[in-house]
Amino acid sequence: MEKRRIAILGSTGSIGTQALEVIKEHRELFEVELLVCRSSWEAMARQAREFDANAVVITDTSHYLDLRNALEDTGTKVFAGMDSVCSLVTGDNIDIVIASMVGFSGLEPTIAAIKAGKVIALANKETLVAAGRIVMDLASRMNVPILPVDSEHSAIFQCLMCARGNKVSKLHLTASGGPFRTWDRESIAKATKDIALKHPNWDMGAKITIDSATMMNKGFEVIEAKWLFDMPVDRINVVVHPESIIHSMVEFEDGAVIAQMAEPDMREPIQFALCFPERLPLSTRKLDFAKVGSLSFSEPDPERFPALGLAFKAMERGGNIPCALNAANEAAVAAYINGRISFYGISDVVGECMERTSYISDPSLEDIFATNDEAYSLSCRLIDEMERR
């Protein structure tokens, strides 16, 4: 495998730090060219030193001087702002862009990288939730591979490698069920953020952990799977699998189901995307089936987890409504983490925002950005109203 030059958008987050762990195991195969974070300048400065990054960008410009001073004795070039990110990802010195920035902010640099013909290792669900048709059409025109990093979509991608042209009947996305899998609705309604942030299987950032607790994360994954694999939403199934050993499954017309299995460790799908189509050794814990013992499955409960149904509803309406879903969820999750609304207030805000956002059946990229602003502002007003009640 030839050496691959990497840009990591969101290097200090969960995916970014684990991507650097993968790169550390195979330093002879990867070169870190660009690191990007929002505000964690101290952590990114340490990463830049360890991996001798060519350039770094901090999108929160108020920390630019801190970062520049921390790296002034190195050869690393320091930039600030989203315009710098969008410019630098197009450079000839980059082969693969790991798109792992949180939320809608990941859309613009991902589009810039696609236009420049970069391979995209996609970990930012919101990019396809908000603008799936636009992104996939652009990637097709530019002949740019989009390699999934989410464990569920990586699993489907790996299973589809066995399809050999045979028609797929259904995709089965597995869900851990999150911290409230066995709780009743009344107890969930009172759940504090501290409990919601304790995911039973995965180590993730705060926003995606809350999305897992509401199951909005799984709804996003359904939308993402539709676009990545060109699959109608009515042929995408969600099944709760608390052990998180089977990461997803592909069902064929004859009833055969192929599953991808591994310990819950994001380094495996990250490395698969970075090394595709090769598989390399990785120091993860390997499956011991005798210790696993048994695997269990159940249907998700729409009464206890209404966010999942909202995602399906958004895709049924189509147009710009999935973008509104995402924007409202970003605002509502932030409000929940800050103690402003209840757990079910998240889905209440999202549902109301979806109903009240101006509908556009075939949105342009400009429409998507306008919808994001409209829905986010509307959600903030709804949250303010909830607080005053």
Side-chain angles (χ1 to χ4, degrees):
M1 190 177 97
E2 292 185 0
K3 200 164 196 176
R4 297 176 179 181
R5 300 165 296 177
I6 310 297
I8 305 178
L9 312 186
S11 69
T12 60
S14 175
I15 296 296
T17 54
Q18 291 179 86
L20 288 170
E21 289 176 17
V22 169
I23 290 170
K24 192 172 184 178
E25 286 201 36
H26 304 288
R27 292 293 288 265
E28 74 285 0
L29 296 176
F30 300 108
E31 191 76 35
V32 176
E33 290 290 336
L34 174 65
L35 299 174
V36 176
C37 78
R38 185 179 66 84
S39 59
S40 300
W41 64 270
E42 292 171 302
M44 190 165 66
R46 290 192 294 270
Q47 292 174 341
R49 285 181 176 276
E50 180 177 359
F51 292 91
D52 193 25
N54 179 51
V56 296
V57 184
I58 189 155
T59 59
D60 183 343
T61 57
S62 67
H63 294 297
Y64 168 71
L65 289 179
D66 293 322
L67 182 60
R68 189 187 69 179
N69 292 338
L71 294 172
E72 64 181 352
D73 62 332
T74 72
T76 300
K77 296 179 280 292
V78 180
F79 301 87
M82 189 59 75
D83 287 346
S84 294
V85 181
C86 293
S87 175
L88 289 168
V89 294
T90 67
D92 292 338
N93 60 325
I94 292 171
D95 301 312
I96 302 176
V97 174
I98 302 176
S100 59
M101 295 176 72
V102 175
F104 187 82
S105 63
L107 175 60
E108 189 176 7
T110 301
I111 286 178
I114 293 172
K115 287 181 177 178
K118 308 303 178 185
V119 174
I120 306 298
L122 186 65
N124 174 275
K125 297 176 179 65
E126 294 86 352
T127 291
L128 292 184
V129 171
R133 178 187 58 78
I134 294 170
V135 171
M136 295 306 293
D137 285 353
L138 177 62
S140 178
R141 291 198 305 273
M142 299 301 301
N143 197 29
V144 165
I146 296 184
L147 303 174
V149 168
D150 274 345
S151 61
E152 294 82 359
H153 302 95
S154 177
I156 292 171
F157 182 60
Q158 294 180 53
C159 291
L160 288 174
M161 292 171 67
C162 304
R164 301 179 66 84
N166 288 293
K167 188 174 180 181
V168 173
S169 174
K170 189 173 289 187
L171 304 179
H172 297 277
L173 292 171
T174 57
S176 70
F180 305 133
R181 179 178 60 86
T182 61
W183 291 34
D184 60 40
R185 184 180 168 92
E186 183 178 355
S187 299
I188 294 173
K190 301 173 184 176
T192 65
K193 70 171 184 180
D194 292 334
I195 299 173
L197 287 169
K198 293 179 180 178
H199 195 281
N201 298 336
W202 296 97
D203 180 17
M204 305 178 290
K207 197 266 184 183
I208 192 172
T209 302
I210 299 301
D211 284 345
S212 178
T214 63
M215 291 198 75
M216 181 64 83
N217 189 50
K218 203 55 51 178
F220 284 172
E221 289 174 7
V222 169
I223 297 172
E224 190 178 5
K226 168 193 165 51
W227 295 116
L228 281 172
F229 307 113
D230 192 24
M231 182 65 67
V233 172
D234 62 3
R235 288 166 56 192
I236 303 174
N237 179 51
V238 174
V239 60
V240 177
H241 169 53
E243 295 84 6
S244 295
I245 296 297
I246 295 178
H247 296 298
S248 277
M249 298 167 278
V250 173
E251 181 177 337
F252 294 91
E253 287 188 305
D254 61 357
V257 178
I258 296 178
Q260 189 266 345
M261 307 171 71
E263 288 284 353
D265 188 327
M266 282 303 301
R267 289 177 296 168
E268 186 274 324
I270 292 169
Q271 178 167 294
F272 188 77
L274 291 182
C275 298
F276 181 78
E278 297 185 28
R279 291 186 185 271
L280 299 180
L282 184 63
S283 62
T284 55
R285 187 176 60 180
K286 304 306 186 286
L287 273 178
D288 184 329
F289 288 97
K291 288 183 178 178
V292 170
S294 62
L295 302 176
S296 57
F297 305 91
S298 62
E299 291 184 358
D301 184 344
E303 295 298 321
R304 292 186 296 137
F305 302 103
L308 179 59
L310 289 172
F312 276 95
K313 184 177 180 181
M315 280 308 302
E316 288 169 4
R317 292 187 64 190
N320 65 330
I321 299 305
C323 177
L325 168 89
N326 176 69
N329 185 68
E330 285 195 22
V333 168
Y336 173 69
I337 290 174
N338 291 324
R340 299 180 62 197
I341 61 175
S342 68
F343 185 82
Y344 284 120
I346 298 173
S347 52
D348 289 343
V349 167
V350 173
E352 182 71 14
C353 184
M354 285 169 55
E355 293 298 324
R356 292 171 57 177
T357 296
S358 305
Y359 177 68
I360 303 172
S361 61
D362 187 21
S364 65
L365 185 58
E366 291 74 19
D367 291 330
I368 291 297
F369 280 96
T371 296
N372 182 71
D373 291 342
E374 176 190 353
Y376 195 90
S377 296
L378 173 56
S379 299
C380 289
R381 294 196 297 272
L382 293 170
I383 290 163
D384 289 341
E385 292 172 7
M386 282 186 175
E387 280 194 299
R388 289 195 294 267
R389 290 174 191 166

